[in-house]
Amino acid sequence: MKYAYRISICMMVKDEEKNLRRCLESIKPLLKGKLAELIIIDTGSKDKTVEVAKEYTSKVYFHKWNNHFSNMRNISISYAKGEWIFIIDADERLDNIESFIKIMESKKPNKFNTIFLQVKNLNDANDEKQFVSNMSPRLFKNDGTFKYEGAVHNQPEFKGPFLNIDSSLTHFGYISNDRQLMEKKFNRTVTLIKSELEKTPENIYYRYQLGVSYDMHGDSEKAFDEFGRAYEILKSKSQEIRYSRSYVYGSYAKSTLINNKFIEAVDICKEGIKVRPDYIDLYYFAGEALMQLQNKDEAIKYYLKYIDLCNRYEELSISKDWAIALYNIDSRSKSNVYFRVAKYYIEKDDPIKAMEYCIGIETEVQKADVTVRALLMLKDYSKLRKYYEHITDPKIEDYFLANLEDQIDKLVNSEKIEAYREFSQCDSLYGLFNQIRVCSDDQKDILLNEFFKKANFNCIPTFYAGAFKSISKDKRSIFYLFRDIDTLKIRIIVKYLIDKYEEFTGIFEEYLMTENIRPNDVQGNKVYISVAAIMLIQRLENTNEVSSEYYNIFKLYIERGINFVSQVYNIQKARVIYKSVNNSEDRFFMLMYIVNDYINRGSVQNSIKYFREAVWIYEPMVKYIDVYKDEIYKCELTDKWVIGGAVHGRQHKWENA
């Protein structure tokens, strides 16, 4: 038979304007010369699909959709004049095009009737390393007999011998942002499958595909039910049929995991592995389920077998089985397993084994986690420093250092000093930080001065606040340094310091009780209320009592809070704007300004209205507010006012007693 082309690319499309150009650009190199022709069947597009198609080929044909996928596929094939028929969909992209052309221009395919490509079904548009993989027959010898069968999930009636090639297709169909189109496709597919199941309710393949459709649609419970029905039908079949339909085990096991049926997931995986020992996904799912069941030792056995099979993937028969979609051979899944195994060996005090599996971790955060813990266990501080110095991503660096500091804290003092000395060699802020830790007293002030000039506490990890501890001469300079730090970060630093170093409680108390701040000093008032807020709340958490000293701090907190909002907002319009202020603390201060203003003007009842609202807004300070209420209203009211109710529920009642 004489052919006009080496390849006939056959497509059927409908309303694929958003996808089609990406697909056609990927196959464009094939259309040069006589290597390939492009045949597109449009089944009724209402968008610009046809216009896009005609930019790439003149062979665009129109056939009305007849609710039968295979019929439409076969119509597209009927136009083919090439030696090979290549099936590709609009939501796919051909990758490794150079390799594809090289193979198809060679004589190698001549001995085969069907060619398989790997299809990578993406789960995330922003991460092409995360995908579900399956081998798919896509090129068929055009011998006049080839055709598709099946109304819904059309299946090619292909013949051997078979050839697997390195080129792959990336499928974007599962991640479309066009929810209306996806819903339309889902309803169409489910309707057709249910129609087929009415004719043959024991059809395992259609029952399985109905589960797949529900799964893709996010109906996890319905998917679980359908996979379960397919599994029950399959159980009674012969070993040969169970092997050929083993994809049911994979999808059912995945579905049991999603539905938190972990014991059942393990049972399904074990049964499926007996039928198909090279079914990689089943080892992954078994490991995940066993981890959830806290059976880590057994989980690791399945993870290790998973790693072994992944490393030998090309040798496995399942790698050539077009019927099975593998959900967990993508790089993210592999990285996750390597991380789980490495962490397991950390917990087993085997850092050497942990580092062996750390090599397979691709996620930098996870790799940093394992590396820090393993190398500290090995006391290999030099290697750990070199790892740190090769980190280029600032976010990963911050995570690494925060994790490192957390783990170093667990070491004995001599080991801490050894680690600090090693990292003091780094030419970075962290290196300077560690120089301060290990230097002599006569060098400390110089290094601290340099550190505080370089350190932007608004942007660096909280552990750097440890540098404040090294200030030995004038502790009040801490509060001067706080002036350049934003409100939230000051609070985080204060909490860190009082939790980590006992002496800072006294340092902060002395500051709060003695510091004089001008009413118009915005930064000074900001620092005061930031420190006071944490100390006041911490005091209640520790004692649940309001001492006279802390009540005086609370009153200064309100006074300086009012001073602060008076400088930041148009305080004269407080009654108009306070509800528009998102920061609850600022809103509280504005309400207290309004309360005091009404009291000063003799309008007690109006002040009470705003006082009630202030209580509601600032729940953490309710005990202080209760005492404050008695003080500011004692001269104006003969009735006793109480704040009662559960603090956590914000059920504050005001009652006349």
Side-chain angles (χ1 to χ4, degrees):
M1 185 184 297
K2 189 174 181 180
Y3 299 99
Y5 300 90
R6 179 68 161 167
I7 306 168
S8 291
I9 305 170
C10 298
M11 302 179 66
M12 62 178 192
V13 298
K14 182 179 181 181
D15 294 331
E16 292 285 2
E17 177 189 349
K18 294 180 180 179
N19 289 313
L20 188 57
R21 189 178 301 282
R22 177 182 57 219
C23 173
L24 298 184
E25 281 296 316
S26 75
I27 62 173
K28 193 173 181 179
L30 299 177
L31 304 179
K32 295 179 180 178
K34 292 286 185 178
L35 183 59
E37 64 172 338
L38 174 60
I39 298 161
I40 297 180
I41 302 297
D42 185 84
T43 62
S45 294
K46 295 180 181 178
D47 61 6
K48 294 182 179 179
T49 295
V50 174
E51 293 177 35
V52 174
K54 287 183 175 180
E55 292 178 28
Y56 295 84
T57 181
S58 61
K59 298 175 182 179
V60 180
Y61 305 99
F62 303 93
H63 292 271
K64 187 177 180 181
W65 175 249
N66 64 0
N67 287 327
H68 199 291
F69 278 92
S70 290
N71 284 352
M72 304 311 295
R73 286 278 191 215
N74 293 333
I75 289 172
S76 71
I77 291 168
S78 69
Y79 289 98
K81 297 178 181 178
E83 181 182 356
W84 288 90
I85 294 165
F86 178 24
I87 302 297
I88 187 171
D89 290 330
D91 56 4
E92 295 176 329
R93 181 190 71 209
L94 178 63
D95 301 319
N96 315 101
I97 186 70
E98 296 84 3
S99 174
F100 185 88
I101 292 173
K102 185 176 180 180
I103 289 173
M104 295 310 297
E105 286 182 334
S106 72
K107 295 180 180 179
K108 187 173 183 178
N110 294 347
K111 299 176 183 178
F112 301 92
N113 287 313
T114 303
I115 299 176
F116 283 75
L117 281 71
Q118 182 188 22
V119 178
K120 298 177 180 179
N121 303 285
L122 298 186
N123 298 317
D124 184 343
N126 299 315
D127 184 4
E128 292 199 14
K129 291 183 178 181
Q130 185 181 354
F131 55 83
V132 177
S133 174
N134 67 287
M135 295 303 296
S136 179
R138 290 305 185 97
L139 286 105
F140 311 94
K141 190 67 71 69
N142 188 10
D143 60 2
T145 65
F146 170 70
K147 63 179 180 178
Y148 274 81
E149 293 286 349
V152 190
H153 289 276
N154 46 109
Q155 300 297 306
E157 296 289 317
F158 55 89
K159 298 181 290 190
F162 312 123
L163 172 65
N164 286 6
I165 63 175
D166 291 337
S167 295
S168 61
L169 294 168
T170 298
H171 179 215
F172 296 84
Y174 296 162
I175 54 174
S176 173
N177 293 323
D178 190 337
R179 301 308 306 169
Q180 187 175 1
L181 177 61
M182 294 298 287
E183 192 70 19
K184 187 177 179 180
K185 286 184 176 182
F186 166 75
N187 290 328
R188 179 188 64 188
T189 302
V190 167
T191 300
L192 289 171
I193 295 174
K194 286 182 176 180
S195 175
E196 292 299 312
L197 281 170
E198 286 178 6
K199 304 172 191 173
T200 56
E202 296 293 300
N203 188 306
I204 295 172
Y205 180 71
Y206 280 135
R207 186 67 64 186
Y208 157 79
Q209 287 293 353
L210 184 56
V212 170
S213 295
Y214 282 128
D215 186 40
M216 290 171 57
H217 193 250
D219 298 331
S220 59
E221 290 185 7
K222 289 183 179 179
F224 174 78
D225 291 340
E226 293 304 330
F227 289 137
R229 291 188 180 105
Y231 166 74
E232 290 299 326
I233 298 169
L234 184 62
K235 277 201 307 184
S236 63
K237 302 298 182 183
S238 67
Q239 174 73 12
E240 183 181 355
I241 293 176
R242 277 183 283 148
Y243 182 89
S244 66
R245 299 287 189 269
S246 55
Y247 49 75
V248 172
Y249 293 106
S251 292
Y252 191 29
K254 174 174 171 282
S255 188
T256 55
L257 266 178
I258 291 171
N259 286 278
N260 299 321
K261 300 178 185 295
F262 304 121
I263 295 174
E264 190 171 344
V266 174
D267 291 339
I268 296 299
C269 289
K270 288 181 177 179
E271 185 179 335
I273 287 168
K274 287 180 182 178
V275 174
R276 185 108 197 212
D278 65 347
Y279 203 148
I280 301 176
D281 276 351
L282 294 179
Y283 295 93
Y284 182 91
F285 296 143
E288 294 290 282
L290 287 162
M291 277 291 183
Q292 292 293 332
L293 295 168
Q294 298 300 309
N295 190 345
K296 293 183 181 179
D297 291 340
E298 190 176 356
I300 293 303
K301 293 177 184 177
Y302 283 94
Y303 282 145
L304 291 176
K305 184 63 177 178
Y306 164 88
I307 291 171
D308 172 59
L309 292 174
C310 284
N311 289 337
R312 297 188 293 111
Y313 176 70
E314 298 298 333
E315 305 170 15
L316 306 177
S317 63
I318 202 167
S319 70
K320 302 168 184 64
D321 191 334
W322 68 276
I324 293 182
L326 292 172
Y327 292 87
N328 297 102
I329 65 167
D330 59 300
S331 59
R332 176 170 290 188
S333 297
K334 292 175 187 175
S335 180
N336 177 57
V337 171
Y338 276 103
F339 177 61
R340 294 284 182 91
V341 174
K343 277 192 70 176
Y344 172 82
Y345 284 117
I346 289 285
E347 293 168 6
K348 292 293 183 181
D349 293 323
D350 191 346
I352 294 176
K353 269 287 191 191
M355 288 303 294
E356 178 184 331
Y357 286 95
C358 184
I359 294 170
I361 301 173
E362 290 194 4
T363 307
E364 288 301 322
V365 167
Q366 293 178 337
K367 186 182 283 289
D369 185 5
V370 171
T371 301
V372 166
R373 296 176 68 183
L375 292 180
L376 283 178
M377 290 171 73
L378 291 166
K379 298 181 176 55
D380 194 342
Y381 308 123
S382 175
K383 190 172 183 179
L384 191 55
R385 173 178 61 82
K386 289 172 184 175
Y387 178 89
Y388 160 65
E389 288 176 334
H390 282 88
I391 296 174
T392 57
D393 185 332
K395 291 182 180 178
I396 301 300
E397 179 185 4
D398 287 351
Y399 176 84
F400 173 90
L401 292 176
N403 192 23
L404 176 65
E405 286 288 310
D406 184 56
Q407 296 302 320
I408 286 178
D409 261 354
K410 299 173 184 177
L411 302 178
V412 298
N413 197 53
S414 60
E415 292 172 342
K416 287 181 183 178
I417 297 300
E418 193 177 346
Y420 295 156
R421 288 193 188 283
E422 184 65 42
F423 280 93
S424 69
Q425 300 176 48
C426 298
D427 183 21
S428 64
L429 186 67
Y430 189 63
L432 181 56
F433 182 59
N434 282 286
Q435 287 178 43
I436 294 168
R437 283 169 155 170
V438 299
C439 73
S440 59
D441 289 342
D442 59 337
Q443 294 177 300
K444 191 159 287 187
D445 287 344
I446 296 171
L447 291 172
L448 278 169
N449 186 51
E450 183 183 353
F451 175 82
F452 285 118
K453 282 181 179 178
K454 291 182 177 180
N456 181 352
F457 280 93
N458 295 319
C459 305
I460 58 177
T462 304
F463 69 79
Y464 280 111
F468 290 110
K469 185 179 185 303
S470 297
I471 297 175
S472 56
K473 293 182 179 178
D474 182 12
K475 293 294 185 183
R476 299 186 79 82
S477 64
I478 292 171
F479 307 102
Y480 179 80
L481 292 167
F482 278 2
R483 296 170 77 92
D484 291 328
I485 305 174
D486 67 39
T487 302
L488 177 59
K489 199 58 187 272
I490 293 173
R491 293 164 197 247
I492 293 170
I493 290 171
V494 170
K495 184 74 168 65
Y496 174 85
L497 291 173
I498 60 178
D499 286 347
K500 194 170 179 66
Y501 309 110
E502 289 184 7
E503 66 265 32
F504 271 94
T505 297
I507 291 169
F508 289 138
E509 285 177 343
E510 182 183 359
Y511 163 77
L512 293 172
M513 292 175 187
T514 62
E515 186 72 5
N516 291 316
I517 302 170
R518 299 190 314 277
N520 63 350
D521 182 354
V522 177
Q523 296 303 324
N525 284 297
K526 175 198 75 174
V527 172
Y528 189 93
I529 62 177
S530 298
V531 176
I534 297 301
M535 293 297 292
L536 288 165
I537 293 169
Q538 183 89 349
R539 177 73 174 191
L540 286 181
E541 289 176 353
N542 292 338
T543 67
N544 203 30
E545 293 179 359
V546 178
S547 67
S548 59
E549 293 84 2
Y550 269 79
Y551 177 60
N552 287 331
I553 291 172
F554 177 72
K555 289 195 291 183
L556 287 170
Y557 168 70
I558 290 178
E559 176 190 316
R560 286 161 187 181
I562 291 173
N563 290 340
F564 176 73
V565 296
S566 296
Q567 298 297 314
V568 175
Y569 302 94
N570 184 350
I571 199 67
Q572 302 305 319
K573 295 185 178 180
R575 279 178 286 275
V576 177
I577 67 173
Y578 80 91
K579 288 187 178 180
S580 301
V581 176
N582 292 325
N583 184 300
S584 60
E585 185 182 51
D586 287 359
R587 193 155 67 249
F588 170 75
F589 290 139
M590 295 181 85
L591 284 165
M592 297 313 296
Y593 167 83
I594 297 168
V595 165
N596 284 308
D597 183 52
Y598 272 124
I599 289 175
N600 290 335
R601 289 194 283 165
S603 183
V604 174
Q605 290 304 317
N606 280 331
S607 77
I608 290 171
K609 169 190 170 185
Y610 288 99
F611 198 97
R612 285 173 174 164
E613 196 168 345
V615 174
W616 180 261
I617 285 172
Y618 215 30
E619 179 181 308
M621 299 289 185
V622 69
K623 281 187 173 290
Y624 297 108
I625 295 172
D626 197 15
V627 179
Y628 187 63
K629 169 263 302 175
D630 289 340
E631 179 178 336
I632 64 172
Y633 288 118
K634 65 182 178 182
C635 299
E636 286 77 10
L637 296 177
T638 56
D639 291 332
K640 181 182 178 184
W641 290 76
V642 295
I643 306 172
V647 171
H648 291 297
R650 284 190 172 183
Q651 299 170 5
H652 307 304
K653 298 178 185 176
W654 288 63
E655 303 169 349
N656 279 9

